[in-house]
Structures are given as structure tokens and as C-alpha cells.
Amino acid sequence: MLLSLITWLLIGAIAGWLASLIVKGRGLGLVNNILVGIVGAVIAGWLLPLVGFVFIGGILAAITNAVIGAVLLLVILGFVQQKAA
């Protein structure tokens, strides 16, 4: 269980950091990058199979899925922030 939690945090941190590099100007700091990466993994885990796009394989596939979901999340957050301003 502890190893699983550490793995989720590590994947979330990497995915959030990579997503913040892809979506420029959306770097949120370490804790928020972890949260964005974990939420991105959940989004990608739900959305990508619906459109028939699934990565199979270990940790690299998990990071790739999480990055895709995190980028989507950051783009959506950027649009919402622009509309609110």
C-alpha cells in the first residue's frame, strides 16, 4: 500500500511537471503539479479508453496517460480562468 501511494505521487509529480512544460505558463508548484498529474491520470484513465486510445505497459504508459490527462486539465483550467477574468 505504501509503495502504491509513493508510485501514484511519483507519477503525478512527473506528469504534472511535464504537463506544465507542455502548457506554458501553467506551472503550479510541486504539490499542485502532483495533484494535476493524479487528476490527469484519472481523466485519461476514463477518457482515453472511450475514444479507443489506450497505452498498455508499465510505468511509462502510466506517465504518458497521466501527462495527456494533465495537459487536458491545464488547458481546460486555462480556458476557465480566461472566462472568469
Side-chain angles (χ1 to χ4, degrees):
M1 178 147 169
L2 180 61
L3 183 60
S4 180
L5 176 64
I6 292 171
T7 303
W8 270 94
L9 292 174
L10 181 63
I11 290 172
I14 293 169
W17 174 70
L18 288 172
S20 70
L21 292 177
I22 293 168
V23 181
K24 301 209 186 293
R26 300 281 176 223
L28 303 171
L30 179 62
V31 174
N32 287 332
N33 278 345
I34 291 171
L35 292 174
V36 166
I38 291 172
V39 172
V42 172
I43 290 170
W46 169 75
L47 183 63
L48 292 180
L50 288 177
V51 296
F53 194 74
V54 179
F55 291 105
I56 298 174
I59 197 137
L60 187 59
I63 292 171
T64 304
N65 280 339
V67 168
I68 292 169
V71 166
L72 289 173
L73 178 62
L74 289 177
V75 168
I76 291 169
L77 287 176
F79 284 135
V80 169
Q81 288 176 349
Q82 284 181 349
K83 294 289 183 183

